[in-house]
Amino acid sequence: MRLDKVSIDGFKNLRGLELDFDERQLTTVLIGQNGAGKSNLIEAITQVFRWVDLRRNEPRFRYRVTYRIQPQGSAVPNPPSICLSNFPDEPAIRVNGQAVKRTEFERRKTEWFPDLVFGYYSGGSRRLEALFDSHQRRYYDDIKREDDGEKVAKAQEARRLFYCRPIHGVLALMALFAFPDPKVTDELAGRLGITGFHSLLALFREPWFAKGKRVYAETLWGAAGPAGRAARRFKELAFHPFALEGNAVDDYRDKKQSEPQFAAFLPSLERLQELASQFKNEREMFYALEAMDISDLVREIQVWVTRSNDASGDVGFADLSDGERQLLMVLGLIRVSRGKRALFLLDEPDTHLNPHWQHSYLKLIEDWTGIAAEKEHCHIVLTSHNPLTISALSRDEVRVLAQTEDDRVTATAPYTDPRGMGFTATLTEIFGLSTSLDIETQRLVDERNELLQLTDRTEAQQRTLIALNDQLARRGFLNEDREPLYQDFLRAWHDVRYADRPPLTPTDLEARRNAMKALIQQLTTSEGKQ
């Protein structure tokens, strides 16, 4: 599954947008200033796929989305091209350029439509998540009391849009430990320092559908379907499971409320793997665990892990940084989608990562996808404001969104590869900043440059210029270099070289300039004689 071309006209600020993806690339990063339309584009693409899949909430804008989708199984060199459109005088659906009726498309949807479209936004808004509610609601209605495994599997297959939420990181991590793969285990240990599973506590709560009924915690409130089966299996394997009355506080505005709860503690990896033995693979386990959550059964699931610097088991998933949890969620869902033709629409997924991970984020995603999924079946489209995220990419993997003076939005590849530019040049040449300097230093540079342009300077202006040059030299600005270690050396050199040294006088400056001229003339004369 790879997006090829997208045209959007009339969705929020997206007017006349034409975006040409390079479908050979696993990842595409959308960058641009705030308000350029990056998040809007993610939402517009989601709306198109939602409408085509469910025939609900028809988009109120013009769209044309073309993508290539691999057949099930082994990849082929030239996969089918699908075009979805509502532009006037265009077929609603085309396959390899030929119009296809909707009945035919529905009959062959498993061939021509993505298996999964994932959405994720790192911020607090539900704007993107709300677009996935229809699929979530339909899925829940289909499985909540369903005991037939085949019908549950069909419901999972029909749930083609999937929104990633924080708890999915916990569930995906459990599935990864329960179905270990040596390469995945090595990646977790090497990249994140997570060396193993220690234990977990599942804290169940009275779900909304049990309120006011004579059902009890010991029976897990009569939960049915895959959620009830998974929860009862937790109870069977737990060390001393017990019912309790717990405090329910969801945020600072809520008063403490007592709610019936049930605690199930799995003390070892062996117990987790016993839990997993009823499932065929990590995907089936993940969906069963998620069913407990969407059935309102889960208050929280705490997972403790061992790390390379801490084998005590005192490190819980909640103790990991926001960046680590966010990264595990994305990596886990890539693993769970193994074998599926998947489109990942990720809005600022690198927000909470430290600079080291921002710099290697897409490399990690690419490596992990090669280990945990099939690259040819995935396309990862993400928005970012971070120059470190794109610093190792080619121009084919980046699209810059910008708004023109006539209020149209353009999306183009940068004129050159970000790879090899370095952080400073990426800010100015790709993100379009006029300078990468702080405001005060840039002010000094501008003032210095204005004085340099004067052919006749007063004595006061000359003294000011000397003082500005000295200030900039002390900051190491006059000896800029891309290598950070050498830059640190130059700054230290200036600290020593100019320590307690008064500013140069006009006479000193003139003498130095004449000496430089003489040296250059000598060098050029010597070069001409050779």
Side-chain angles (χ1 to χ4, degrees):
M1 166 64 200
R2 296 282 171 86
L3 290 176
D4 184 1
K5 295 181 180 180
V6 171
S7 301
I8 303 293
D9 189 25
F11 180 70
K12 299 185 179 180
N13 75 320
L14 302 181
R15 299 183 181 89
L17 173 66
E18 300 284 344
L19 195 158
D20 188 354
F21 293 88
D22 187 334
E23 64 270 25
R24 298 169 301 176
Q25 306 299 330
L26 169 66
T27 56
T28 303
V29 182
L30 308 175
I31 66 173
Q33 296 182 357
N34 287 332
K38 303 182 296 298
S39 297
N40 292 343
L41 177 58
I42 295 290
E43 292 177 33
I45 295 172
T46 302
Q47 285 200 31
V48 171
F49 282 111
R50 180 184 65 173
W51 161 245
V52 172
D53 187 30
L54 293 184
R55 303 300 289 175
R56 298 178 190 171
N57 306 107
E58 183 175 3
R60 299 179 180 178
F61 56 88
R62 296 298 181 192
Y63 65 82
R64 185 187 303 109
V65 175
T66 305
Y67 59 92
R68 289 191 173 273
I69 187 162
Q70 289 282 350
Q72 295 281 5
S74 301
V76 299
N78 191 30
S81 175
I82 317 296
C83 180
L84 312 173
S85 175
N86 70 350
F87 275 89
D89 304 322
E90 290 187 12
I93 303 172
R94 281 176 287 171
V95 177
N96 291 330
Q98 300 298 315
V100 171
K101 292 182 179 180
R102 171 156 290 279
T103 53
E104 176 70 4
F105 182 79
E106 288 294 330
R107 188 176 69 84
R108 302 181 64 177
K109 184 179 282 188
T110 55
E111 295 179 54
W112 294 339
F113 198 79
D115 297 322
L116 286 168
V117 177
F118 287 95
Y120 172 67
Y121 173 53
S122 62
S125 170
R126 275 199 84 248
R127 199 173 69 189
L128 179 60
E129 181 180 2
L131 300 179
F132 294 78
D133 285 349
S134 297
H135 281 79
Q136 181 85 330
R137 191 176 300 112
R138 185 182 71 168
Y139 175 65
Y140 172 67
D141 289 341
D142 287 343
I143 70 163
K144 58 185 177 183
R145 304 194 67 82
E146 184 55 67
D147 290 323
D148 188 322
E150 289 187 8
K151 291 182 179 180
V152 171
K154 288 182 179 179
Q156 291 171 356
E157 184 178 343
R159 184 192 181 190
R160 294 184 175 88
L161 267 69
F162 189 108
Y163 188 79
C164 312
R165 296 183 296 111
I167 194 171
H168 292 146
V170 181
L171 305 183
L173 187 61
M174 290 169 60
L176 292 179
F177 282 128
F179 292 89
D181 178 287
K183 291 183 179 179
V184 171
T185 302
D186 289 345
E187 282 291 302
L188 285 175
R191 304 274 190 162
L192 299 176
I194 296 176
T195 55
F197 172 88
H198 186 273
S199 55
L200 74 82
L201 172 66
L203 190 61
F204 300 106
R205 65 180 176 186
E206 182 182 38
W208 65 269
F209 57 79
K211 304 290 185 184
K213 298 181 180 179
R214 291 187 176 182
V215 289
Y216 304 100
E218 288 79 0
T219 67
L220 293 167
W221 303 279
R229 290 194 297 275
R232 282 189 292 274
R233 187 59 175 156
F234 263 97
K235 179 183 175 182
E236 292 169 3
L237 294 171
F239 174 79
H240 192 63
F242 62 94
L244 68 152
E245 288 289 322
N247 289 324
V249 180
D250 290 318
D251 62 39
Y252 73 94
R253 296 168 297 183
D254 290 341
K255 296 179 181 179
K256 288 186 177 181
Q257 303 178 54
S258 179
E259 70 174 5
Q261 296 178 353
F262 192 86
F265 178 69
L266 301 188
S268 65
L269 177 61
E270 289 72 24
R271 291 292 178 91
L272 177 65
Q273 291 177 337
E274 282 187 65
L275 175 70
S277 64
Q278 63 186 310
F279 306 112
K280 296 177 183 177
N281 52 43
E282 64 265 37
R283 183 186 302 116
E284 189 175 296
M285 178 179 177
F286 173 85
Y287 277 122
L289 298 175
E290 192 217 12
M292 299 190 309
D293 178 58
I294 64 177
S295 296
D296 198 37
L297 265 178
V298 176
R299 166 55 64 183
E300 65 176 327
I301 296 180
Q302 298 183 36
V303 175
W304 289 274
V305 299
T306 58
R307 305 196 72 172
S308 54
N309 59 351
D310 189 341
S312 67
D314 289 336
V315 180
F317 185 85
D319 298 321
L320 303 178
S321 69
D322 286 342
E324 288 174 312
R325 295 198 301 271
Q326 184 173 279
L327 188 58
L328 279 170
M329 183 196 65
V330 174
L331 297 182
L333 289 173
I334 289 175
R335 173 71 176 182
V336 167
S337 68
R338 183 173 53 167
K340 298 289 187 179
R341 287 93 49 87
L343 172 63
F344 292 84
L345 300 173
L346 311 178
D347 198 357
E348 300 181 19
D350 54 353
T351 301
H352 300 294
L353 302 181
N354 63 46
H356 175 74
W357 280 357
Q358 288 169 350
H359 189 254
S360 60
Y361 181 72
L362 292 179
K363 176 62 175 169
L364 173 58
I365 292 291
E366 181 178 0
D367 291 346
W368 184 273
T369 306
I371 292 169
E374 290 80 26
K375 290 184 181 181
E376 296 80 5
H377 290 170
C378 299
H379 191 181
I380 300 170
V381 179
L382 60 96
T383 70
S384 179
H385 289 289
N386 201 308
L388 287 173
T389 299
I390 70 165
S391 61
L393 300 183
S394 69
R395 63 189 300 272
D396 298 326
E397 299 171 277
V398 180
R399 293 296 179 267
V400 183
L401 270 66
Q403 196 148 12
T404 63
E405 293 182 356
D406 59 354
D407 290 333
R408 295 172 67 85
V409 175
T410 61
T412 57
Y415 75 94
T416 189
D417 294 333
R419 181 186 298 138
M421 273 191 171
F423 177 80
T424 300
T426 302
L427 283 172
T428 56
E429 302 302 317
I430 305 298
F431 280 82
L433 271 67
S434 58
T435 178
S436 62
L437 298 174
D438 62 272
I439 294 175
E440 174 61 18
T441 302
Q442 187 61 50
R443 184 190 66 78
L444 295 176
V445 172
D446 292 341
E447 188 176 351
R448 190 271 314 267
N449 290 344
E450 289 178 6
L451 291 174
L452 283 174
Q453 292 174 8
L454 300 177
T455 54
D456 295 318
R457 288 186 287 272
T458 65
E459 184 175 346
Q461 289 172 331
Q462 188 68 20
R463 289 183 179 277
T464 300
L465 178 59
I466 293 170
L468 288 171
N469 280 329
D470 188 64
Q471 288 185 62
L472 291 171
R474 289 173 186 271
R475 298 184 184 196
F477 177 77
L478 297 183
N479 290 309
E480 184 177 10
D481 190 272
R482 290 184 180 179
E483 171 53 49
L485 291 176
Y486 186 54
Q487 183 73 13
D488 289 344
F489 166 77
L490 291 174
R491 286 174 178 165
W493 169 262
H494 277 283
D495 287 342
V496 175
R497 185 80 172 85
Y498 292 97
D500 301 323
R501 177 177 175 176
L504 296 174
T505 65
T507 303
D508 294 333
L509 186 62
E510 184 67 23
R512 189 175 68 177
R513 185 180 297 114
N514 290 335
M516 292 290 291
K517 287 181 179 179
L519 177 60
I520 292 171
Q521 289 174 352
Q522 182 179 355
L523 291 172
T524 53
T525 302
S526 300
E527 183 180 356
K529 292 180 178 179
Q530 292 178 356

